[in-house]
Amino acid sequence: MIPLDENSIRSHINTTEINQPLHFHLLNTIDSTNRFLKENPSNEGITICCAETQTQGRGRFGRAWHSPFGENIYFSARWHARCELSGLSGLSLVVSLATLNTLNELGFTDNLSIKWPNDILWHEKKLSGCLIELLAPAKTQTEVVIGIGINVNSSLKASSDTNEQLINRPWCSLFDITTTLYDRNLIIGRLITHLNRYLQHLISHGFAYFLPKWQLVDGLKGRLITVSQSSGSISGIAQGIDHTGQLIIIDSHGNTHALSSGDTSIKCSI
Ligand code: BTN
């Protein structure tokens, strides 16, 4: 295992593209890298926290994010956006596109898709997820913590039944795809570069700029899905997303719904 290393991560970042200071917290163990960044005052610029393991890694909808030591990427970035919250519509989709772009650059191009809003799947198995937490929205500035988990060197075959139960959903890793072990420092460096570029584009052009990219990797369009929300669940055929990133579905009565959040599950293809 190659340990997390700041110099190595920095050597893989396009520093010419990033015009603000980058601060790193590379930790051996922490409860959650998102929690760490939320509760520690940030400096000017972008603050990154990665850990070798998380004891209470957090997923969406209160789920746990399994975080075995030294195997995968547990990454969080605390980022000041110089805009109001409304200027960040579609942020979680853009984060997943930036992550996917990082994987494409590493040579992963086939059979990858995104399950709205932000799960990256390989052959329908989850490779990466993201959890965005909002901090102190103000008039002209919004601060967010962007948490990304990527299954890198964990092996599905080697994982125990207990771990599978903990995750409780089909998943896989980059190692499972290629049987190659990856240097996480390289992936993190490239991820920071792409994330920064995609976020700058989101602020300057809005989400509509990303629509054509999304349409190429939309894993739900044309499929029968159920979206669970706190108010209940809706099933129907996914139609794609609109220019703000909302998911459009048509239910069995022919009614159209535009959803801005929820947990999606795929029922079958049509
Ligand atoms: C999901 O798909 O449910 C979101 C998973 C997000 C996991 C990452 S790992 C790094 C960061 N710290 C956390 O506690 N969660 C995110």
Side-chain angles (χ1 to χ4, degrees), residues 61 227-234 257 259 261-263:
F61 304 104
V227 184
S228 308
Q229 298 179 304
S230 49
S231 54
S233 60
I234 299 171
H257 305 261
L259 307 174
S261 69
D263 192 20

Side-chain angles (χ1 to χ4, degrees), residues 30-36 49-51 54 56-67 73-77 118-120 126 128-133 145-150 169 263:
I30 191 73
D31 50 356
S32 152
T33 55
N34 264 31
R35 203 275 314 151
F36 178 87
C49 177
C50 296
Q54 299 182 118
Q56 289 173 57
R58 311 207 280 232
R60 295 175 72 227
F61 304 104
R63 295 191 187 106
W65 186 259
H66 182 51
S67 310
I73 290 175
Y74 320 117
F75 167 100
S76 298
N118 49 31
D119 285 355
I120 298 184
K126 186 156 168 172
S128 168
C130 119
L131 176 69
I132 293 180
E133 302 190 64
V145 171
I146 298 167
I148 301 173
I150 308 176
R169 291 178 163 214
D263 192 20

Side-chain angles (χ1 to χ4, degrees), residues 113-245:
S113 60
I114 304 181
K115 181 165 79 71
W116 181 93
N118 49 31
D119 285 355
I120 298 184
L121 308 180
W122 180 75
H123 280 293
E124 320 253 316
K125 294 182 203 159
K126 186 156 168 172
L127 197 52
S128 168
C130 119
L131 176 69
I132 293 180
E133 302 190 64
L134 215 58
L135 292 152
K139 266 245 165 297
T140 53
Q141 268 229 35
T142 310
E143 235 186 315
V144 286
V145 171
I146 298 167
I148 301 173
I150 308 176
N151 298 327
V152 180
N153 294 324
S154 277
S155 162
L156 191 53
K157 287 203 187 80
S159 79
S160 69
D161 290 343
T162 325
N163 290 348
E164 298 228 23
Q165 276 162 20
L166 197 68
I167 297 161
N168 203 19
R169 291 178 163 214
W171 64 276
C172 69
S173 67
L174 300 182
F175 177 82
D176 289 321
I177 300 173
T178 59
T179 61
T180 304
L181 290 170
Y182 291 87
D183 177 1
R184 293 165 299 155
N185 298 304
L186 162 87
I187 304 176
I188 293 169
R190 300 313 300 152
L191 179 63
I192 293 168
T193 305
H194 293 301
L195 199 54
N196 178 66
R197 184 177 335 114
Y198 276 52
L199 296 179
Q200 299 309 330
H201 284 323
L202 177 65
I203 292 185
S204 344
H205 309 295
F207 180 73
Y209 172 87
F210 292 95
L211 207 45
K213 285 187 196 296
W214 182 273
Q215 283 159 348
L216 292 174
V217 292
D218 185 342
L220 295 185
K221 192 167 180 186
R223 305 191 72 176
L224 175 58
I225 62 166
T226 295
V227 184
S228 308
Q229 298 179 304
S230 49
S231 54
S233 60
I234 299 171
S235 295
I237 307 295
Q239 308 295 315
I241 60 169
D242 67 13
H243 67 284
T244 65

Side-chain angles (χ1 to χ4, degrees), residues 36-111:
F36 178 87
L37 285 188
K38 270 179 89 175
E39 292 178 14
N40 276 279
S42 68
N43 306 303
E44 195 207 328
I46 304 171
T47 308
I48 308 285
C49 177
C50 296
E52 295 289 3
T53 184
Q54 299 182 118
T55 54
Q56 289 173 57
R58 311 207 280 232
R60 295 175 72 227
F61 304 104
R63 295 191 187 106
W65 186 259
H66 182 51
S67 310
F69 189 91
E71 295 184 6
N72 301 319
I73 290 175
Y74 320 117
F75 167 100
S76 298
R78 184 164 168 160
W79 183 62
H80 298 256
R82 287 182 201 92
C83 68
E84 290 180 38
L85 185 57
S86 58
L88 294 181
S89 129
L91 174 65
S92 69
L93 286 69
V94 170
V95 170
S96 63
L97 284 170
T99 309
L100 186 71
N101 192 227
T102 306
L103 298 179
N104 290 159
E105 189 188 50
L106 287 170
F108 295 90
T109 49
D110 298 336
N111 305 306

